[in-house]
Amino acid sequence: MVTVQSTPHLILRTDSGNRFLSLIGSNCWTVGRGDDNNFVLPDRWISRNHAMLQRMETGEFYLIDLGSRNGSFVNGRRVSVPVTLHNGDRLTFGQTELEFYTPNVEQNTDPSSIGGDSQEFTATATLHVRRLISVLVVDIRNFTGMTRQIDEKVLSEVIGTWFRCAGDIIREYGSWVDKYIGDAVMAVWIHGAQGVSQEEMVRIAHALSALNKMTSKLHERYPLPFPLRIGAGLNTGYAMVGNTGTGDRPDYTALGDTVNAAFRLESSTKQIGIDVALGETTYQYLTASGVETHLFKQESVNLKGYDTPTITYAGTFSELETFLQLVSGKEEGSGEWDIENGE
């Protein structure tokens, strides 16, 4: 039988004894004072939505601060970007300290080799279903330059708030954040077998628009040397998709060329000096209504790892806004986003 102690977990030491917090059955766990978190910690120095732990396909765990007021610390050092956790690390939120453990058994990613009768591990399925998906990769521009100009505490709050708000926006528009990577996020929309409706693709475009508006407002709240900007790659195609969560808490993840190309398209926006790069299939679905527009310019880009040039349709966020108005006639929602953390 597999026990909590033999699987990834957190330990919260209290006067009444040790409390074990299991890190199985999901890809993502939130920590905070609010009741909507996976791990609720009644510490007044902890923010309502304080931090997040994320498990990657490799079995690695990351800690991501969500713009908390008093910060998240690993072994006494404040976290300003997602950091990899190691066995025995001490995590501090407010005045609460937890210990992170990932036993050696966790390094084996084959569930069949770990206690065959464990329902928790057998629920972690291997990738096996081929599905049509859209992958959005969004990256903060000039992030490295900003890190040299602002205080580490401010940096931590800025990137954490951006991660938290990005996750909220993407959930509002029907997806989830599959990965938080440095100063970027990746989101996946899974489509039906019949293909993608234009309404679905327009909804994704509205999500991207909301992400841009939220990012551009961060300098109004924090003392930043310049307004933040983002770049994005959006790609649609087939990928292997698997459920790595439990039945009542599904967590999907995707791998394959469609995902890789989305990252490469995002990188290409820096080369061609544009905000958004759409994959050719994405563009076809987005313009399925027959709306004629010159707003997205066709480009041929050389993506890293690809032998032949790739066609992309590139544009600015201003052009994206104009296009959305042409397609839908009005904004879907306000597109505005409240970056306050609700303290």
Side-chain angles (χ1 to χ4, degrees):
M1 178 178 179
V2 176
T3 64
V4 172
Q5 291 89 335
S6 65
T7 61
H9 62 277
L10 298 172
I11 295 179
L12 173 62
R13 302 192 186 280
T14 67
D15 294 338
S16 57
N18 294 340
R19 180 182 169 194
F20 290 86
L21 309 177
S22 176
L23 297 174
I24 291 293
S26 182
N27 276 340
C28 179
W29 299 263
T30 56
V31 178
R33 201 178 69 245
D35 293 337
D36 57 338
N37 293 284
N38 299 101
F39 303 134
V40 179
L41 302 177
D43 178 340
R44 70 186 183 93
W45 298 100
I46 291 178
S47 297
R48 291 182 182 178
N49 299 105
H50 196 101
M52 174 187 298
L53 285 89
Q54 184 174 35
R55 179 184 176 181
M56 310 300 284
E57 296 93 342
T58 59
E60 289 183 305
F61 283 79
Y62 283 82
L63 176 67
I64 303 152
D65 185 84
L66 296 178
S68 64
R69 181 156 298 179
N70 294 311
S72 301
F73 297 80
V74 177
N75 300 324
R77 183 168 184 176
R78 186 166 188 152
V79 170
S80 56
V81 296
V83 296
T84 305
L85 296 178
H86 302 283
N87 192 47
D89 278 348
R90 293 177 293 106
L91 315 183
T92 305
F93 310 115
Q95 295 185 343
T96 302
E97 185 171 291
L98 300 96
E99 297 167 18
F100 169 79
Y101 290 100
T102 176
N104 290 334
V105 68
E106 177 63 15
Q107 301 306 313
N108 190 329
T109 57
D110 179 7
S112 64
S113 67
I114 311 175
D117 59 351
S118 168
Q119 292 183 352
E120 290 179 317
F121 275 108
T122 56
T124 303
T126 55
L127 303 180
H128 63 283
V129 180
R130 188 170 182 264
R131 296 291 298 272
L132 181 63
I133 66 171
S134 289
V135 182
L136 174 64
V137 177
V138 180
D139 172 81
I140 298 178
R141 290 288 182 260
N142 300 320
F143 181 76
T144 302
M146 184 182 69
T147 62
R148 302 191 186 103
Q149 300 181 55
I150 64 175
D151 178 78
E152 187 180 53
K153 180 179 183 295
V154 175
L155 175 65
S156 176
E157 291 188 18
V158 170
I159 190 66
T161 298
W162 186 77
F163 279 137
R164 176 174 55 80
C165 291
D168 289 344
I169 289 170
I170 289 166
R171 280 190 294 273
E172 179 180 311
Y173 286 93
S175 182
W176 74 99
V177 175
D178 185 275
K179 291 181 177 66
Y180 294 85
I181 313 162
D183 56 352
V185 295
M186 165 189 156
V188 177
W189 280 261
I190 300 178
H191 305 300
Q194 73 280 4
V196 188
S197 68
Q198 191 206 17
E199 290 73 19
E200 282 184 276
M201 199 59 72
V202 168
R203 187 168 179 80
I204 297 172
H206 274 292
L208 178 54
S209 172
L211 288 166
N212 174 58
K213 291 176 181 177
M214 176 273 291
T215 305
S216 67
K217 286 189 170 186
L218 285 172
H219 76 285
E220 298 174 5
R221 178 177 177 186
Y222 298 102
L224 302 179
F226 47 78
L228 288 186
R229 296 174 49 249
I230 57 173
L234 177 58
N235 192 42
T236 303
Y238 285 91
M240 299 306 290
V241 177
N243 181 3
T244 60
T246 58
D248 61 337
R249 294 191 61 136
D251 277 286
Y252 295 95
T253 190
L255 292 174
D257 185 66
T258 298
V259 177
N260 295 338
F263 279 93
R264 302 302 187 218
L265 285 170
E266 186 281 318
S267 295
S268 75
T269 63
K270 303 169 188 175
Q271 302 170 16
I272 59 181
I274 210 73
D275 296 328
V276 180
L278 307 175
E280 193 168 12
T281 302
T282 301
Y283 180 77
Q284 290 170 357
Y285 281 122
L286 191 60
T287 57
S289 67
V291 172
E292 294 294 333
T293 178
H294 61 280
L295 298 174
F296 295 96
K297 182 181 178 182
Q298 181 176 315
E299 301 271 0
S300 178
V301 294
N302 294 309
L303 303 184
K304 184 178 179 180
Y306 291 76
D307 295 331
T308 58
T310 299
I311 297 297
T312 182
Y313 291 84
T316 66
F317 280 112
S318 176
E319 290 169 337
L320 178 65
E321 290 297 316
T322 302
F323 177 77
L324 288 173
Q325 292 172 19
L326 286 172
V327 171
S328 62
K330 60 180 179 179
E331 293 282 351
E332 178 179 314
S334 67
E336 302 295 330
W337 197 259
D338 181 10
I339 62 173
E340 293 299 322
N341 61 13
E343 292 302 310

